[in-house]
Amino acid sequence: MKTAFIFPAFVSEYIGTEDKILNSFSDNFQQKLALVTHLTGDDYLHFSLEDADFTEDELCSQIISYIFSCSLSDELVNCGLKPGAVAGYSMGLYAALYGSGVFGFEQGLRLIEKAYTVSRSVIDGTDCGMGSIIGLTRDEIESMISGQKLEAEIANTNSVHSHLVTGKLKAIDRLLDRAKETGALNTAFLPVNTPYHSRLLKETQTEFKQFITEHISLKKPVYPVISSIDQMMLKTSENIRNELLRNLYERLNWMQTFEKLLSMGCTQFVECGAGKSLQKISRFMAGDFKVFTMNKIEKIITC
Amino acid sequence: MARVNDKITEEVREIVYDFFAEECEVDVADITDDSNIITDMGGDSLMFLALIEIFTKKYNQDIDLKTIGKYSIKHPVETIGQLIDMQLRIIEYGNRIIEVDA
């Protein structure tokens, strides 16, 4: 049975037992918390899932999600479960690349921090955000964006009727209102102030590319990595570098990424991180497969 | 569209209860019609969408999701019981659900 590891982005809803589950494997999770505490100067060792300082801070929530994902990936591989393919959802790309051996844990952390700071620098105080629209198609959303001339765009297609949008805050606000009036089942803001996967961040590429070139050593992936942008297999360090750059300002298509993994013969998926957001999205994918979240992981490993 | 009778009502109730028990990892015996989908069950709008798709296939309906979205603005669903009632109305009236409501 071919298993895919899929890595979530920053997590806003935790199962609640992630830390206990990881601590039951080994001290890997605690070691990573200690290392990040040492490297960032922030106290991740005493991180709590109820601590809003972490879960509501955009950068902290990305970093803690990265720690959860990398720790689980390590434990699964140590238990003998190796992925036939991996893919990262949005900022889950960093953990996916760590999990496939492209760079070390610390380098991934540095990438997350740099991507965040360069993105914030590029938008230069402009109010931006992201939102979700459930119940409308891509064409219906794009029609609203173009019809209203909104500085917004689709960031990701999760399924035929589930999308994320990104852009300037006022435009997102208007778009969500318009979507609701049009008949969306639900709309919501995401807890971020950065317009990820928006052309507003295209200017990040020069500085981010320079940072990657100077500070990050990219190795060939040990496991196949699938791009969430164009669903191509990332085979070379050049492919990986481009994916890291494009991941900040290009539209993703998670639905097609999941379909690509299915077409590669993956029938078992591990949501390699905290929460169960990717399992929820997978409900709308056609095919014979199962997605295992961290609290169900004992069903597929033996150690 | 289908005439809603006791059998369909019971089918819908059973599917909704089983769906939330599995998705929210709770015992079906702990769910009641008054259970709040968000605060008590930890549910979300994707579950609502998934259920609509389940019933659309089961009752072979051609539903415009936007119609349900517009209906739900006037009739927001918060509890399991309200969700079952809305689903039964969708099965009975299909895309006419708003006209019938007017």
Side-chain angles (χ1 to χ4, degrees):
Chain A
M1 186 179 291
K2 198 168 183 177
T3 302
F5 286 5
I6 49 178
F7 293 79
F10 40 86
V11 177
S12 55
E13 287 180 30
Y14 289 88
I15 296 166
T17 53
E18 285 91 343
D19 47 353
K20 292 184 184 69
I21 293 167
L22 289 173
N23 287 333
S24 72
F25 280 106
S26 73
D27 60 358
N28 181 303
F29 178 58
Q30 291 300 321
Q31 284 179 5
K32 285 185 168 52
L33 289 174
L35 179 59
V36 174
T37 298
H38 171 70
L39 293 171
T40 64
D42 294 325
D43 185 7
Y44 284 84
L45 265 175
H46 296 96
F47 159 77
S48 158
L49 294 176
E50 284 83 40
D51 187 346
D53 283 347
F54 280 92
T55 56
E56 291 177 11
D57 179 276
E58 195 171 315
L59 179 58
C60 283
S61 68
Q62 283 191 49
I63 291 174
I64 199 70
S65 294
Y66 175 70
I67 300 171
F68 275 119
S69 289
C70 295
S71 300
L72 182 58
S73 172
D74 284 349
E75 300 296 1
L76 294 175
V77 172
N78 288 341
C79 286
L81 183 64
K82 294 178 180 170
V86 308
Y89 181 100
S90 185
M91 298 303 128
L93 173 66
Y94 305 106
L97 294 177
Y98 165 82
S100 55
V102 170
F103 45 65
F105 179 77
E106 185 176 336
Q107 289 194 312
L109 178 69
R110 293 303 182 209
L111 280 167
I112 291 170
E113 289 179 319
K114 186 64 181 178
Y116 178 76
T117 54
V118 75
S119 296
R120 298 304 304 171
S121 166
V122 162
I123 59 172
D124 192 24
T126 306
D127 289 332
C128 296
M130 296 181 72
S132 69
I133 299 176
I134 310 293
L136 299 183
T137 63
R138 186 177 67 179
D139 287 348
E140 287 167 340
I141 295 169
E142 285 186 333
S143 171
M144 282 187 282
I145 291 171
S146 59
Q148 304 269 316
K149 295 186 171 60
L150 299 175
E151 289 182 282
E153 57 199 289
I154 292 178
N156 190 6
T157 295
N158 288 327
S159 68
V160 174
H161 292 104
S162 171
H163 300 83
L164 301 184
V165 291
T166 182
K168 293 194 177 173
L169 193 61
K170 279 186 181 172
I172 298 296
D173 195 23
R174 281 186 64 190
L175 179 58
L176 297 188
D177 281 349
R178 187 80 189 97
K180 198 70 185 160
E181 290 163 12
T182 303
L185 294 173
N186 190 266
T187 63
F189 276 103
L190 302 188
V192 295
N193 300 311
T194 308
Y196 295 108
H197 316 300
S198 154
R199 64 175 77 97
L200 293 171
L201 294 186
K202 188 151 190 180
E203 284 180 36
T204 58
Q205 61 181 330
T206 305
E207 188 177 342
F208 200 33
K209 184 175 184 179
Q210 184 180 352
F211 176 82
I212 294 169
T213 304
E214 291 177 359
H215 299 284
I216 307 295
S217 169
L218 300 172
K219 299 186 184 70
K220 195 177 171 188
V222 177
Y223 310 112
V225 184
I226 305 302
S227 164
S228 293
I229 299 168
D230 58 17
Q231 293 71 55
M232 299 298 285
M233 200 175 290
L234 305 174
K235 293 179 178 173
T236 68
S237 55
E238 190 58 29
N239 294 156
I240 303 278
R241 181 165 30 249
N242 285 336
E243 185 77 3
L244 284 164
L245 298 175
R246 294 166 70 206
N247 189 52
L248 290 179
Y249 60 82
E250 291 262 10
R251 177 188 295 193
L252 308 183
N253 193 319
W254 184 250
M255 179 174 73
Q256 288 183 355
T257 305
F258 201 91
E259 288 169 350
K260 173 73 176 180
L261 293 168
L262 286 169
S263 75
M264 292 170 67
C266 297
T267 54
Q268 183 168 270
F269 293 76
V270 176
E271 180 157 357
C272 216
K276 43 185 177 180
S277 57
L278 299 183
Q279 184 208 38
K280 288 179 179 179
I281 296 169
S282 73
R283 289 189 198 108
F284 304 96
M285 309 292 180
D288 188 13
F289 64 88
K290 282 192 173 175
V291 180
F292 294 88
T293 50
M294 198 191 293
N295 62 333
K296 302 291 181 189
I297 211 70
E298 76 280 0
K299 292 184 177 178
I300 54 170
I301 57 172
T302 52
C303 65
Chain B
M1 290 184 289
R3 185 83 185 160
V4 171
N5 53 30
D6 289 348
K7 180 171 172 284
I8 290 178
T9 302
E10 203 46 48
E11 270 177 3
V12 169
R13 178 178 299 278
E14 189 176 339
I15 289 170
V16 169
Y17 271 58
D18 288 347
F19 177 87
F20 278 100
E22 184 179 345
E23 293 289 336
C24 301
E25 298 175 25
V26 297
D27 194 321
V28 72
D30 292 334
I31 304 174
T32 72
D33 277 8
D34 292 330
S35 298
N36 186 292
I37 294 168
I38 306 292
T39 58
D40 296 336
M41 310 287 301
D44 56 46
S45 53
L46 281 176
M47 292 183 185
F48 186 29
L49 177 60
L51 268 171
I52 290 171
E53 290 194 357
I54 288 170
F55 287 115
T56 300
K57 283 180 190 160
K58 181 170 177 59
Y59 294 103
N60 197 26
Q61 290 189 293
D62 182 18
I63 299 290
D64 180 5
L65 276 179
K66 296 196 293 296
T67 303
I68 301 174
K70 287 172 185 169
Y71 180 82
S72 65
I73 290 175
K74 288 175 72 177
H75 303 275
V77 167
E78 294 181 357
T79 67
I80 294 289
Q82 289 170 342
L83 179 59
I84 291 169
D85 286 343
M86 176 186 277
Q87 195 54 59
L88 289 169
R89 290 182 69 82
I90 294 169
I91 292 167
E92 180 145 22
Y93 300 114
N95 288 319
R96 292 180 50 242
I97 188 170
I98 291 182
E99 298 166 37
V100 172
D101 183 55

